[in-house]
Amino acid sequence: MDHKLAAPTPPLGWNSWDCYGAAVTEEEIRGNAQYMAEHLKAFGWSYNTVDIQWYEPYANSSQYRPFVPLVMDEYSRLMPAENRFPSAAGGLGFKPLADYVHSLGLQFGIHIMRGIPRQAAHAATPILGTPVTARDIAHTNSICPWNTDMYGVDASKEGAQAYYDSLFELYAQWGVDLVKVDDIAASRLYDTHQPEIALISKAIKRCGRPMVLSLSPGPAPVEYADFFTEHTNMWRVTDDFWDLWSLLLDMFDRCRKWQGVPQAGCWPDCDMLPLGHIGIRSVDGGGADRWTRFTRDEQLTMMSLWSIFRSPLIFGGELRDNDDWTLSLLTNREVLRMHRESHGAREALCRADLIVWTAGHSDGTRYAAVFNVGEDPLQLELALEKIGMSGVSAGTEMWSGTPADFAAGVLRTTVPPHGVRLYSFM
């Protein structure tokens, strides 16, 4: 099967990292999935992903406990910790939890680290269906600089492909729909781990179940764009993104570098949306238990940039705590239509504090996101021909629903500091 068919449009979903770090529980996954089914499924949201270290029984935050015992089966494969995921008891793994998520009409995802457990390599445990052991395929000089769970896999060794095949056969049995693979798209110590990406891509094709393949962390090198589109569905263009204006401002440069690359099945990923109630058991990003530090204008800027660029939209907050404002950011049908169906997104203008992105739609709709990255309100009279939009006759600001103020081809508006006006024109 062509891997691109797994994600014909940018995925929309929820991931446990921003609120629970490595310590999410089954109850919290079920609760967020239920909220998604009730409030977001009708708008296209579907993925529910268990982030890192679901196999670590005593994980308690986003700070990893080094060199601790992990739950593993007899074939070197990590398994859910039953004290955190009770339905995994009896060797069932994530199948009962995935079945529950599927029963809501949603999809289930998991996070894994690149490689093979260090404890499997040290114990020389078997690789399913082969005469080799974890020690034989472990690349002990290929390590993650921020997590001690794994060694890399040496792709040249007999049994390397069989190990990844056995992983994804297991995930297919569980009913996994998305796999986020970490320590692979970019590295502080090494280049992009292309050999292991190729092994994983082949394993997914062989497992018999469509799965979205997501790679982290970034920044993934733009010069490898063709490789990423050949093997994967989404890949991070940034390191972990948090609720800081400096990181959001930097994302404009990153999107500019990757413009023209998003295509059906292949999505450069701006990372999760740190919105709503985050930091509950995750202390990354310079803050503890909190509501997002982004102002409302900054939240609109983030949602507008991610949406017109067509990054995956993966919400990071505790969904059940959403207020009406936060929910409104996720349920604007016109913005989601642009995200799902538009094409040709590009930076059309960058001048001082003004940045304008544009895109089109097959029905003739044209979109313009007018950003003010400065510290003062921006009073604007913008000739639409300067952004390639001559001849439009009507327009709407998509977040507020108010008609665009333009005449004789000139758009008039005031954009607040760190804010945006997002337009659809006909």
Side-chain angles (χ1 to χ4, degrees):
M1 186 187 96
D2 184 350
H3 75 284
K4 296 180 181 180
L5 298 178
T9 58
L12 282 72
W14 175 83
N15 177 291
S16 60
W17 174 256
D18 283 1
C19 46
Y20 295 113
V24 73
T25 66
E26 178 168 348
E27 182 277 329
E28 288 156 346
I29 297 295
R30 288 175 178 259
N32 278 273
Q34 185 175 15
Y35 178 97
M36 183 180 290
E38 293 175 359
H39 299 280
L40 295 173
K41 181 173 71 171
F43 296 87
W45 296 80
S46 64
Y47 290 95
N48 294 264
T49 299
V50 184
D51 209 84
I52 194 168
Q53 284 201 322
W54 36 266
Y55 42 80
E56 211 279 66
Y58 303 108
N60 54 30
S61 77
S62 56
Q63 301 298 303
Y64 310 112
R65 303 188 315 131
F67 304 110
V68 294
L70 309 174
V71 181
M72 189 178 76
D73 75 0
E74 68 270 34
Y75 295 115
S76 311
R77 301 177 298 187
L78 294 169
M79 300 291 287
E82 295 176 13
N83 63 319
R84 292 170 53 199
F85 299 93
S87 70
L92 295 178
F94 273 131
K95 187 176 188 325
L97 183 53
D99 286 349
Y100 172 74
V101 172
H102 293 154
S103 76
L104 300 174
L106 301 172
Q107 293 169 289
F108 180 72
I110 61 172
H111 172 292
I112 66 171
M113 294 294 293
R114 170 186 70 90
I116 193 161
R118 292 190 189 194
Q119 69 186 44
H122 297 162
T125 49
I127 303 301
L128 180 65
T130 77
V132 303
T133 71
R135 183 176 299 171
D136 296 322
I137 67 170
H139 190 333
T140 56
N141 288 327
S142 180
I143 61 172
C144 174
W146 42 267
N147 179 279
T148 61
D149 295 344
M150 315 293 272
Y151 290 126
V153 166
D154 186 338
S156 69
K157 295 293 183 67
E158 178 188 355
Q161 184 67 61
Y163 166 69
Y164 274 118
D165 286 352
S166 74
L167 278 188
F168 283 87
E169 287 169 5
L170 179 65
Y171 302 158
Q173 293 166 15
W174 287 349
V176 172
D177 303 297
L178 179 150
V179 180
K180 174 184 174 182
V181 186
D182 215 334
D183 186 40
I184 198 165
S187 172
R188 299 173 192 169
L189 299 178
Y190 319 98
D191 198 356
T192 298
H193 294 279
Q194 294 189 42
E196 285 193 77
I197 293 172
L199 293 176
I200 292 167
S201 176
K202 183 178 288 187
I204 291 175
K205 291 177 181 177
R206 289 177 169 182
C207 79
R209 181 180 181 84
M211 294 183 197
V212 172
L213 176 57
S214 168
L215 304 184
S216 291
V222 71
E223 58 266 30
Y224 298 159
D226 289 345
F227 177 85
F228 290 125
T229 58
E230 180 183 355
H231 292 285
T232 187
N233 301 111
M234 45 190 281
W235 57 92
R236 285 260 296 276
V237 302
T238 179
D239 203 343
D240 284 5
F241 179 84
W242 285 104
D243 48 333
L244 298 169
W245 171 248
S246 60
L247 298 180
L248 180 50
L249 181 61
D250 177 65
M251 195 61 67
F252 286 93
D253 292 334
R254 297 183 185 276
C255 289
R256 183 188 307 114
K257 290 178 183 178
W258 285 94
Q259 64 185 334
V261 174
Q263 58 180 276
C266 303
W267 310 107
D269 178 11
C270 296
D271 199 17
M272 287 184 285
L273 302 164
L275 293 171
H277 186 189
I278 59 176
I280 298 169
R281 291 198 294 278
S282 181
V283 297
D284 274 20
D289 192 338
R290 66 190 184 280
W291 280 73
T292 184
R293 292 171 294 197
F294 282 138
T295 67
R296 287 193 171 189
D297 284 317
E298 290 166 349
Q299 292 174 55
L300 291 171
T301 288
M302 178 177 61
M303 289 298 298
S304 299
L305 181 60
W306 268 235
S307 295
I308 199 166
F309 177 70
R310 304 188 76 198
S311 168
L313 299 179
I314 308 297
F315 188 83
E318 168 53 75
L319 285 170
R320 293 170 292 181
D321 292 342
N322 279 353
D323 56 11
D324 290 344
W325 163 261
T326 305
L327 182 59
S328 75
L329 296 173
L330 311 181
T331 55
N332 185 305
R333 291 194 182 276
E334 289 305 307
V335 174
L336 291 171
R337 178 175 180 265
M338 176 187 71
H339 176 256
R340 183 177 61 251
E341 300 176 8
S342 64
H343 59 79
R346 68 183 185 95
E347 185 185 80
L349 184 63
C350 182
R351 184 182 68 208
D353 293 335
L354 173 65
I355 298 175
V356 180
W357 274 72
T358 61
H361 192 283
S362 59
D363 70 359
T365 303
R366 288 185 276 180
Y367 300 104
V370 181
F371 299 98
N372 174 12
V373 298
E375 302 302 320
D376 299 303
L378 182 62
Q379 291 189 331
L380 191 64
E381 292 190 358
L382 177 63
L384 292 177
E385 65 180 3
K386 288 187 176 181
I387 58 172
M389 290 200 174
S390 300
V392 298
S393 58
T396 302
E397 204 287 314
M398 295 163 66
W399 290 114
S400 65
T402 59
D405 178 8
F406 72 96
V410 175
L411 174 68
R412 297 179 180 87
T413 189
T414 299
V415 188
H418 299 189
V420 64
R421 296 290 183 256
L422 180 61
Y423 295 101
S424 62
F425 294 107
M426 289 294 291

